[in-house]
Amino acid sequence: MDPVLTEATAQIGRAKTAGSPVVHSFFDEPTNTATYVVWDPATRKAAIVDSVLDFDAAAGRTRTASADAVIAYVRGEGLTIDWLLETHAHADHLSAAPYLQQALGGQLAIGREIVRVQNVFEKIFNAGTEFEPDGSEFDRLFEDGDRFTIGNIEAMALHVPGHTPADIAYVIGDAVFTGDTLFMPDYGTARADFPGGDARQLYRSIRRLMQLPDETRLFLCHDYKAVGRDQYVWETTVGAQRVGNVHVHEGVDEDDFVSMRTSRDATLSMPKLILPSIQVNMRGGHLPEPEANGTRYLKIPLDAL
């Protein structure tokens, strides 16, 4: 096991003695996204993982109902927000992190490889000189193995590229927030065909996560209700993924996974909100600056993706 995973495993073991974090979820059905408030019951310090800004693409309107529900919960529980954590630059929803940060405070963080994503999409969207693709829109850029805390609870960033180059999983106590790397065992794994994505890297990232203890709780960023399942579910365990993930259970080798993932991705259409989402989320959830008439605009690059 690599040194980072050794320390993550030790952290998970310590959490069983010291106490697990409380995890409260919010599921946004229009984007199939799970947002989490994870907090230390001893200090009531907290983090928000993968928030959602409501967006009506047809009308070009943003709303904050989903984020306001998070704010109401945080204030109702008397929590202090230390971190606003993004697992990657989402292609299926806009982040509400700046809105939440203004209301609740906290540092906005993502993986350091977001700079690679910014450099690709800055050109696609012709973002202009006001946008610097250097990660400066975020307060903290995590490297693999970086440590931080939420109150008394230990936390660690794990770099899990493949879906995008910048994906980070957060190990918080004995809970892991995987972003888009994994879905529920009956649904499988994330696509790997976005710019900078790599199915081989995705396989290795998943195998890395599956080295964590079987009982480790996994909290996923999305659920789409697999065929035959009537309810949305977004929590599972490492053991359940290792044994039962339909794409990458034990016994599936790397070449077979890459072949499956590549063939499957070729049949998928682009997420319906990819164009607005990426150009906002590469800015840390900030909307583009208003133009001379006071209105903000999102671009639609033609024939670019």
Side-chain angles (χ1 to χ4, degrees):
M1 187 181 292
D2 69 56
V4 172
L5 278 188
T6 298
E7 182 51 41
T9 299
Q11 174 187 301
I12 290 166
R14 290 191 294 269
K16 294 174 186 175
T17 302
S20 299
V22 176
V23 180
H24 186 85
S25 59
F26 300 80
F27 190 73
D28 178 60
E29 190 167 345
T31 62
N32 298 92
T33 301
T35 294
Y36 301 98
V37 179
V38 50
W39 53 281
D40 173 15
T43 64
R44 306 194 87 77
K45 297 293 184 69
I48 300 170
V49 183
D50 288 339
S51 61
V52 173
L53 180 69
D54 305 306
F55 182 65
D56 182 342
R61 287 194 173 275
T62 62
R63 294 188 306 112
T64 60
S66 295
D68 288 337
V70 173
I71 291 170
Y73 174 79
V74 167
R75 289 176 173 165
E77 293 291 339
L79 306 179
T80 300
I81 298 300
D82 284 348
W83 294 97
L84 301 145
L85 303 174
E86 299 288 342
T87 55
H88 63 295
H90 310 276
D92 40 34
H93 70 273
L94 280 63
S95 170
Y99 177 78
L100 292 168
Q101 188 175 42
Q102 184 175 36
L104 301 171
Q107 296 185 71
L108 174 57
I110 200 168
R112 180 167 294 282
E113 292 301 306
I114 187 62
V115 173
R116 285 183 59 190
V117 176
Q118 289 177 324
N119 272 278
V120 169
F121 284 101
E122 177 239 1
K123 298 177 179 65
I124 290 173
F125 291 111
N126 193 28
T129 56
E130 77 283 356
F131 176 70
E132 292 289 339
D134 59 3
S136 58
E137 298 79 10
F138 300 86
D139 301 310
R140 176 77 179 268
L141 300 179
F142 284 120
E143 303 271 10
D144 184 47
D146 277 355
R147 309 291 301 279
F148 60 106
T149 59
I150 300 170
N152 295 331
I153 293 177
E154 298 177 84
M156 175 184 289
L158 294 181
H159 186 213
V160 287
H163 175 60
T164 80
D167 281 61
I168 287 282
Y170 295 103
V171 185
I172 301 175
D174 62 349
V176 180
F177 300 83
T178 66
D180 285 12
T181 303
L182 282 165
F183 298 139
M184 289 299 292
D186 60 358
Y187 200 87
T189 58
R191 65 195 297 166
D193 61 333
F194 295 148
D198 186 298
R200 203 165 291 279
Q201 276 193 329
L202 180 61
Y203 178 89
R204 294 172 184 175
S205 293
I206 292 168
R207 285 286 177 251
R208 193 178 192 216
L209 289 172
M210 286 183 176
Q211 293 181 60
L212 295 172
D214 278 357
E215 64 275 16
T216 304
R217 297 182 291 163
L218 299 183
F219 294 90
L220 316 179
C221 190
H222 297 287
D223 187 55
Y224 301 96
K225 288 198 293 193
V227 174
R229 175 156 53 85
D230 295 329
Q231 293 183 324
Y232 291 110
V233 188
W234 47 85
E235 179 181 352
T236 183
T237 65
V238 167
Q241 293 282 12
R242 185 184 291 126
V243 171
N245 188 287
V246 294
H247 291 166
V248 70
H249 57 78
E250 286 184 335
V252 176
D253 71 21
E254 184 172 317
D255 288 339
D256 287 343
F257 175 81
V258 169
S259 177
M260 177 281 301
R261 190 69 265 171
T262 302
S263 298
R264 184 178 175 86
D265 288 349
T267 71
L268 300 177
S269 58
M270 286 290 104
K272 62 183 179 181
L273 292 183
I274 185 172
L275 295 178
S277 293
I278 292 292
Q279 61 188 299
V280 169
N281 295 336
M282 72 179 187
R283 293 177 165 91
H286 292 279
L287 300 175
E289 289 298 314
E291 297 194 6
N293 63 354
T295 300
R296 303 176 190 269
Y297 291 89
L298 295 171
K299 296 180 178 179
I300 300 178
L302 300 179
D303 303 319
L305 293 177

